Amino acid sequence: MIVMDLQNAVVTILALVVFTSILSSPSLAAPDTAGAGITDPGPPQPAAARNISCLLAGVEERLQSGHLLDPTPGQVPETADEPGVPVGNGTPLPVEEIPEPVPDYDDDELAMLVEENSISLMLLSVQNAYALYAWDELPAKESAAALRALAARLLKDSAALQVSDDRKALQTSFTRALESYEAAGAALQGNTLLNRTTVDAALEANRQGSDHLREASGYLQRPVLKAPAEIAATSLSLPRPRDASGSGEELVLLQRYVYEDRSRANDISLMLESASGIGVYYLFNERGEAVLAEPGRMFLLVKVKVTNLGHKGESRTYKIRTPDPRDFTLQYRGTTYAPIKLASGTSLGEPYAAATLDRYGMKAGYIVFDVPEALPLDECFVQVNLGGATSPVWALGKTL
């Protein structure tokens, strides 16, 4: 039968193992028989054979009875060099914990970014706010553009930094300051003229930016560094108005300026009679539309009068050409305003326009400027470019 063949095969293999172990085991020395009372135990049995015989005891009987061998391995005796591993409820050996790697934070870079740029941001913001309070459009737009560019660059640099939890508050305050400064600059960009809405929005954004920047500076452990030379040299004083004319003469309202035409054959009288601001005027058309100034702005009306005083010399040229409206500019500190185009037929009367005048002929009308409502007329001047070096200037806040 197949079972009996399997049992015979196992017995044969075990017999071969025993035989091989006997042949390979070293021979043992004979015991000392010189002593009295010791009987001869017979031929010595090798230790390996004795051990294997113990292991094989009853194997043949178990196989012949149909019982399989116990597959449970025996316990391996401990060696002297290696301590035994505790079994069951023994205390386990401690496991060494490997510390997690510490991230490489950019805390120092963030602090340096705030220290090196805080004064520059604050000075540009103060300059912008100062120009806004004075309704000085050109300095307000220039400082706003510089403030916006600096804030946008720093926002990008700050966002690229990875900071620890200890520096999160600093980064948050600095980011809010930069966002506010960028908003202040954005409110004044483009060709939009200053009005109450844009001025109020820009001033509020500057205030919020300064508050957040002061908060960020409180998280620094060192005082801020000095401002760059080009920022520290920024003048916070508004520019002074230019001289009244090339010769230094300043004209006032109702004071005429006399000059010669290009042929030097005729004398011309130029006068600014009045200056006033209004918020609305009406068109004389079928619908009678009202033209409203934007919030925070006004229409500044300057009445111009030009007269041909008459011929002189031997030239036969008797006619003159009056200045063009584009030759007139309104100046307030560092800002220059050009006249707006005024439609004919309005409640303002006849608009001023260039004309050809015969002897003793006269041309009068209004030139209109769109300016901030808060513009102080006593600091405004109107300059007229008459060609060459001739550019008389009238002070709108003074009169005869």
Side-chain angles (χ1 to χ4, degrees), residues 233-258:
T234 300
S235 175
L236 297 180
S237 60
L238 297 176
R240 296 180 60 83
R242 57 190 303 174
D243 292 337
S245 64
S247 61
E249 179 184 2
E250 180 179 306
L251 305 173
V252 298
L253 296 178
L254 296 176
Q255 183 179 358
R256 71 179 185 176
Y257 179 79
V258 178

Side-chain angles (χ1 to χ4, degrees), residues 171-245:
Q171 189 178 42
T172 300
S173 298
F174 190 54
T175 298
R176 290 175 178 173
L178 296 176
E179 291 173 345
S180 298
Y181 285 141
E182 188 178 29
L188 302 173
Q189 296 305 299
N191 297 324
T192 303
L193 300 176
L194 289 186
N195 55 55
R196 185 177 296 112
T197 302
T198 57
V199 170
D200 290 347
L203 286 174
E204 176 62 18
N206 273 292
R207 185 194 65 80
Q208 293 181 3
S210 299
D211 289 344
H212 290 307
L213 186 61
R214 182 171 58 251
E215 180 181 293
S217 300
Y219 294 110
L220 297 176
Q221 299 177 354
R222 303 188 297 265
V224 296
L225 303 179
K226 294 182 179 180
E230 64 273 14
I231 299 297
T234 300
S235 175
L236 297 180
S237 60
L238 297 176
R240 296 180 60 83
R242 57 190 303 174
D243 292 337
S245 64

Side-chain angles (χ1 to χ4, degrees), residues 25-26 65 163 178 181 198 260 262 312-314 333 342 368:
S25 61
S65 62
V163 299
L178 296 176
Y181 285 141
T198 57
E260 296 177 336
R262 293 183 178 180
K312 66 177 183 178
E314 299 179 356
R333 298 185 183 274
L342 191 63
V368 182

Side-chain angles (χ1 to χ4, degrees), residues 31 38-44:
I38 298 179
T39 59
D40 185 5

Side-chain angles (χ1 to χ4, degrees), residues 194-375:
L194 289 186
N195 55 55
R196 185 177 296 112
T197 302
T198 57
V199 170
D200 290 347
L203 286 174
E204 176 62 18
N206 273 292
R207 185 194 65 80
Q208 293 181 3
S210 299
D211 289 344
H212 290 307
L213 186 61
R214 182 171 58 251
E215 180 181 293
S217 300
Y219 294 110
L220 297 176
Q221 299 177 354
R222 303 188 297 265
V224 296
L225 303 179
K226 294 182 179 180
E230 64 273 14
I231 299 297
T234 300
S235 175
L236 297 180
S237 60
L238 297 176
R240 296 180 60 83
R242 57 190 303 174
D243 292 337
S245 64
S247 61
E249 179 184 2
E250 180 179 306
L251 305 173
V252 298
L253 296 178
L254 296 176
Q255 183 179 358
R256 71 179 185 176
Y257 179 79
V258 178
Y259 65 101
E260 296 177 336
D261 61 0
R262 293 183 178 180
S263 64
R264 304 177 68 88
N266 300 279
D267 285 336
I268 305 171
S269 169
L270 176 61
M271 178 191 302
L272 302 188
E273 292 187 341
S274 64
S276 60
I278 60 172
V280 60
Y281 66 88
Y282 298 89
L283 301 177
F284 290 160
N285 54 20
E286 296 179 356
R287 293 178 292 180
E289 295 175 295
V291 180
L292 298 173
E294 293 185 8
R297 300 192 70 83
M298 67 177 179
F299 299 115
L300 179 61
L301 280 60
V302 178
K303 189 174 183 180
V304 179
K305 182 179 180 181
V306 184
T307 306
N308 183 352
L309 297 179
H311 178 72
K312 66 177 183 178
E314 299 179 356
S315 174
R316 295 185 179 182
T317 302
Y318 297 100
K319 296 182 178 182
I320 59 109
R321 185 69 178 172
T322 66
D324 191 273
R326 293 172 296 181
D327 297 330
F328 293 76
T329 56
L330 174 66
Q331 298 180 1
Y332 170 67
R333 298 185 183 274
T335 305
T336 300
Y337 299 89
I340 64 174
K341 187 176 181 180
L342 191 63
S344 59
T346 68
S347 59
L348 302 177
E350 183 180 2
Y352 173 81
T356 300
L357 301 179
D358 289 325
R359 181 186 294 185
Y360 310 126
M362 186 267 295
K363 177 67 176 178
Y366 286 101
I367 293 178
V368 182
F369 298 93
D370 184 354
V371 298
E373 186 180 23
L375 201 69

